[in-house]
Amino acid sequence: MTEQVKSSPNKFKKYVIWFWAIVASGIFSVVLIFVLTSNGAFGELPTFKSIENPDRNYATEIISADGKILGTYFKENRTPVTFKELPENIVEALVATEDERYYEHSGIDAYGTVRAITKFGKGGGASTISQQLAKGLFTKKRSLSTIGRIKQKLKEWVIAVRLERQYTKNEIITMYLNNYDFNNLAVGINSASRIYFGKEPKDLNVEESAMFVGMLKNSTLFNPTKERRKDTVLHRRNVVLKQMAKANYITEKEKDSLQKLPLGLNLQREDHSDGYATYFREHLRAFMKDWTANNLKEDGEEYDIYKDGLKIYVTIDSRMQKHAEEAMEQHMANLQKSFFKEQKRNKNAPFYGMSKKKVDKYLLKKIRYTGRWERMKKNGKTKEEIIASFNTERPMKVFSWNGVKDTVMTPLDSVRYYKHFLRAGLMSTEPQTGHIKAWVGGINYKYFKFDNVKSKGGRQVGSTFKPFVYASAINQLQYSPCKEFTNVPYTIPKEKYGMADDWTPKNSDGKYGNILTLKEALAGSVNTITARLIDEVGPETVVRLANDLGISKEIQPNPSIALGAVELNLYDMVGAYSTLANKGLRIDQMIVTRIEDKNGTVLEDFMPKTHEILSEESSYVVLDLLKGVTESGSGIRLRTKYGKYPDNVVTGYPYEFKNPIAGKTGTTQNQSDGWFMGVVPNLTTGVWVGGDEYSIHFRGIARGQGASMALPIWALYHKALYADPELNISQEDFEKPEELSIEIDCGKKDDVEEVEEDSYEEEDDDILNDN
């Protein structure tokens, strides 16, 4: 009995020794495994440098003049934020849901790890926020084997501890939210906030932050854009709200109230074909390609706009851009209805002046430049097989002004279908700075990628070129707007400028015999008087002035340029009119004001270049002439309210503008192009509308003139601008020079109350292409 009593303490002591030996062995094993892992026994670990500066691709941001992000260039659409830019509610939701002891551990949650092991993961996961960040930064692909995953987990532990030593808790949270891929091209909380809710992270409310934290578990599974996933996402968000209440970040009452709310998404896709200023962003991409080639990093490498996280500050105002695009969409959708209606009676729609044979030949030529033709050719298909494919009906989605339309047609018919759509362009510049404020290159970038603002070839400009002829006469001959001319046919002999034939342009309305002032002649776009003026000053003088004002294209000095028989682009035309609006001082147009690197270091500040072109007096007199166009000429519908127009093509009429507006309409032969150039003291805007080819146009002048095709876009745009007082678009008159030697007050004729528009609308129908 005594021996048994003696043996019991010894036996218990043996168990104690064994217990502590096992514990010590376990601790030693853990330490050993940690040491081995730290020294790369289970695979290479990131260096101190890579932990300090993780290799991440950061999107380059395009930032508007009013501080809004217009778009990004990216391989991964990630734009980092600082901790101060995060709302408190998302930090609270993250900690409450993912790592409730976050502020108590140093990278590894011992309690959570033991719980996960003993309960086989059923009591909750053990990964801390630091471990999840380590996994996101340095685990490129999750191992499929158990052993491989254990090795990865060990490395993530080590990296998590190193991250905790290297960064503060706030910095780790910021890195984690900046790094996570929320799907739908939203990498990081900054992009995600814009894409899912159309706001900055700092403006996220509690339920929105809870949704994002819920997505951290698996953004593919909890993808709110998928209809079949919305209930799952809603449930997961409510779980996060429950955890926030449990951690006392919100009250039970707040939780119950918030859980009843819908997701409230406000999707703002950031694919390059989506959003505002798509054509501008593509033009800027080409600009940045040149800039990066000529502005290298310190190590001699080029900046990469897709991963270096540059910040490009541009001149575009996001509000003005929005108004411009909406104005174009409103009018073009309306105008297209009328065009489709007309084409029902055109057997070779949408082409005029082409036989069926020529149309078929044209379409065959065009399909050779399509992606379908290229793909089939690369796959070894013969020409005959490819053409047969283009004539085989198939289901497809096509653009329409009522949204994407599901239909069945042949690829060849789809090419013809898209040719039916009239194209357009708009650009606005602030004359005093040269800053381009709005750039709309077309009606829809996804379907019509050609940019009509700065096209290389340009389009015929019609009567919008006439002000350069008048400006030459005023500048060189000191002509007054009140100077009178007889409206009679005027002939320029062929020998004078080396022409093939004598040139005697006709007035589009066929009216002659009356006496007109220069102001009346420009308002009525009278061709005979314009021809006389270019003969008096010489075509070379007009070309030289046009180039000085801002036209970059080489123009042949033929008399016919007086009537607009020259192809120019909208960019140059707006620049030239802006010089007139800026008292004759040309400021080269700009699209970028500053470029910074991802740390905010300024890489370049852009300064405007100025050139003195015209005197302040001459510029003011030309503007006074152009004001007459909107007071009694082809632009008078900006002011009237009783006009009637076929198919209501003048969208939004009446406009009833009361403020001074210098403007000029333009219509080219066969109504192939419609223009309107409109100027107020601090904004010059040009609009062009036309078919993809010169043979695609309205049959008649009533619908096809510049005052019907282009002017309504300008009017709708300016109505929106004036309705937004923060934009401060001027409604004042142009500043009059202190000394004005040229007479501009021509008086008013007693027998004229209001000039009828119809007498001026058929303005350029007989342009002669003599160049």
Side-chain angles (χ1 to χ4, degrees), residues 332-343:
M332 294 306 293
N334 182 47
L335 188 67
Q336 192 65 46
K337 292 178 186 176
S338 183
F339 191 69
F340 274 139
K341 178 182 176 182
E342 179 181 300
Q343 293 310 305

Side-chain angles (χ1 to χ4, degrees), residues 21 206 210 254 263 279 285 299 321 416 471 491 539 567 571 587 624 674 717 754:
V206 176
E254 287 173 327
L263 293 176
Y279 292 92
R285 190 198 304 270
D299 60 7
Q321 182 71 28
R416 190 168 191 154
T491 299
E567 293 181 338
Y571 182 93
I587 300 182
D624 187 71
Y717 173 49
E754 181 178 290

Side-chain angles (χ1 to χ4, degrees), residues 497-546:
Y497 301 108
M499 299 181 292
D501 299 294
D502 292 346
W503 188 57
T504 308
K506 300 175 182 178
N507 287 336
S508 57
D509 60 5
K511 296 178 181 179
Y512 304 93
N514 51 333
I515 296 176
L516 300 172
T517 64
L518 279 187
K519 192 166 190 176
E520 291 169 334
L522 184 61
S525 212
V526 179
N527 291 338
T528 57
I529 294 176
T530 308
R532 180 186 294 272
L533 290 178
I534 198 169
D535 190 30
E536 291 187 8
V537 298
E540 294 87 354
T541 300
V542 175
V543 169
R544 187 163 52 250
L545 178 60

Side-chain angles (χ1 to χ4, degrees), residues 329-389:
E329 181 177 343
Q330 184 181 349
H331 175 61
M332 294 306 293
N334 182 47
L335 188 67
Q336 192 65 46
K337 292 178 186 176
S338 183
F339 191 69
F340 274 139
K341 178 182 176 182
E342 179 181 300
Q343 293 310 305
K344 290 178 181 179
R345 303 188 300 273
N346 180 7
K347 63 180 180 180
N348 289 319
F351 308 96
Y352 285 110
M354 292 176 68
S355 64
K356 183 180 183 304
K357 184 178 180 180
K358 283 187 177 181
V359 171
D360 291 343
K361 186 178 179 181
Y362 167 84
L363 292 174
L364 181 61
K365 180 181 177 182
K366 286 297 177 182
I367 64 175
R368 293 172 183 268
Y369 298 100
T370 63
R372 174 183 292 275
W373 185 286
E374 289 296 321
R375 288 192 301 271
M376 295 186 73
K377 187 178 179 181
K378 284 182 180 179
N379 291 332
K381 300 296 183 182
T382 65
K383 177 182 175 181
E384 290 72 22
E385 288 175 319
I386 298 175
I387 292 174
S389 172

Side-chain angles (χ1 to χ4, degrees), residues 396-417:
M396 61 178 69
K397 295 179 183 293
V398 296
F399 170 82
S400 83
W401 279 112
N402 295 318
V404 177
K405 182 172 67 175
D406 288 301
T407 188
V408 175
M409 65 172 69
T410 69
L412 181 63
D413 285 340
S414 73
V415 173
R416 190 168 191 154
Y417 169 76

Side-chain angles (χ1 to χ4, degrees), residues 81-196:
V81 294
T82 63
F83 186 79
K84 290 181 179 179
E85 294 172 299
L86 293 173
E88 187 178 6
N89 55 50
I90 200 169
V91 177
E92 294 171 346
L94 177 62
V95 172
T97 307
E98 296 293 325
D99 194 350
E100 59 185 340
R101 282 173 294 279
Y102 176 65
Y103 294 105
E104 300 167 16
H105 62 68
S106 299
I108 300 174
D109 182 3
Y111 175 84
T113 302
V114 172
R115 180 194 62 198
I117 293 172
T118 57
K119 294 187 177 182
F120 301 100
K122 294 182 179 179
S127 285
T128 63
I129 292 172
S130 304
Q131 287 174 250
Q132 292 178 48
L133 174 60
K135 178 182 176 182
L137 288 176
F138 301 108
T139 302
K140 294 181 180 179
K141 187 177 180 181
R142 181 187 174 95
S143 177
L144 298 177
S145 70
T146 303
I147 299 299
R149 185 63 195 127
I150 290 173
K151 289 180 180 179
Q152 286 180 338
K153 199 71 176 177
L154 291 171
K155 287 193 283 186
E156 288 165 12
W157 282 359
V158 172
I159 296 169
V161 172
R162 291 182 178 179
L163 286 170
E164 291 269 356
R165 291 175 182 172
Q166 186 67 30
Y167 298 101
T168 66
K169 291 287 187 179
N170 289 350
E171 288 173 333
I172 288 172
I173 284 177
T174 306
M175 290 174 68
Y176 180 45
L177 291 173
N178 279 333
N179 185 67
Y180 192 79
D181 188 345
F182 289 92
N183 267 332
N184 297 297
L185 300 178
V187 182
I189 192 62
N190 197 1
S191 297
S193 300
R194 294 197 309 268
I195 289 172
Y196 288 104

Side-chain angles (χ1 to χ4, degrees), residues 135-345:
K135 178 182 176 182
L137 288 176
F138 301 108
T139 302
K140 294 181 180 179
K141 187 177 180 181
R142 181 187 174 95
S143 177
L144 298 177
S145 70
T146 303
I147 299 299
R149 185 63 195 127
I150 290 173
K151 289 180 180 179
Q152 286 180 338
K153 199 71 176 177
L154 291 171
K155 287 193 283 186
E156 288 165 12
W157 282 359
V158 172
I159 296 169
V161 172
R162 291 182 178 179
L163 286 170
E164 291 269 356
R165 291 175 182 172
Q166 186 67 30
Y167 298 101
T168 66
K169 291 287 187 179
N170 289 350
E171 288 173 333
I172 288 172
I173 284 177
T174 306
M175 290 174 68
Y176 180 45
L177 291 173
N178 279 333
N179 185 67
Y180 192 79
D181 188 345
F182 289 92
N183 267 332
N184 297 297
L185 300 178
V187 182
I189 192 62
N190 197 1
S191 297
S193 300
R194 294 197 309 268
I195 289 172
Y196 288 104
F197 294 109
K199 58 176 65 174
E200 299 300 313
K202 62 183 175 62
D203 299 320
L204 292 172
N205 56 40
V206 176
E207 66 271 22
E208 291 166 347
S209 291
M211 188 198 84
F212 284 131
V213 170
M215 291 177 71
L216 296 173
K217 187 172 185 179
N218 186 327
S219 60
T220 301
L221 177 64
F222 300 105
N223 184 349
T225 64
K226 302 295 184 183
E227 194 63 38
R228 66 181 186 278
R229 300 284 190 195
K230 285 193 174 179
D231 288 341
T232 307
V233 176
L234 196 63
H235 178 264
R236 177 64 184 162
R237 183 205 68 179
N238 289 345
V239 169
V240 175
L241 292 170
K242 180 181 177 182
Q243 289 298 110
M244 292 181 74
K246 182 180 176 183
N248 294 320
Y249 289 127
I250 58 175
T251 64
E252 284 292 324
K253 184 178 180 181
E254 287 173 327
K255 179 206 74 174
D256 292 339
S257 176
L258 292 171
Q259 285 182 335
K260 294 176 183 177
L261 296 175
L263 293 176
L265 298 180
N266 178 22
L267 287 175
Q268 306 286 329
R269 304 280 187 182
E270 290 193 357
D271 182 83
H272 185 68
S273 296
D274 298 313
Y276 289 109
T278 47
Y279 292 92
F280 172 79
R281 284 186 267 144
E282 189 59 30
H283 176 74
L284 180 64
R285 190 198 304 270
F287 173 91
M288 289 303 298
K289 183 179 180 180
D290 290 339
W291 185 88
T292 55
N294 294 292
N295 295 270
L296 305 179
K297 299 178 184 177
E298 290 182 359
D299 60 7
E301 289 188 4
E302 288 188 17
Y303 286 98
D304 188 335
I305 63 171
Y306 302 104
K307 68 176 186 180
D308 283 341
L310 302 179
K311 289 181 172 59
I312 309 171
Y313 292 85
V314 298
T315 60
I316 297 292
D317 186 295
S318 70
R319 299 161 296 181
M320 296 175 69
Q321 182 71 28
K322 180 174 182 287
H323 293 322
E325 294 189 22
E326 289 176 348
M328 179 178 287
E329 181 177 343
Q330 184 181 349
H331 175 61
M332 294 306 293
N334 182 47
L335 188 67
Q336 192 65 46
K337 292 178 186 176
S338 183
F339 191 69
F340 274 139
K341 178 182 176 182
E342 179 181 300
Q343 293 310 305
K344 290 178 181 179
R345 303 188 300 273

Side-chain angles (χ1 to χ4, degrees), residues 597-653:
D597 68 12
K598 65 181 178 183
N599 299 314
T601 302
V602 177
L603 301 177
E604 184 170 359
D605 272 317
F606 294 81
M607 302 303 293
K609 297 177 181 179
T610 61
H611 317 265
E612 290 187 19
I613 307 301
L614 282 176
S615 68
E616 182 179 349
E617 181 182 44
S618 294
S619 299
Y620 180 79
V621 172
V622 175
L623 290 173
D624 187 71
L625 284 172
L626 291 170
K627 283 162 58 177
V629 174
T630 68
E631 291 167 355
S632 61
S634 56
I636 196 174
R637 62 182 64 178
L638 289 172
R639 306 190 183 283
T640 58
K641 60 181 178 180
Y642 297 116
K644 293 183 179 180
Y645 304 100
D647 298 330
N648 294 315
V649 291
V650 185
T651 312
Y653 181 86

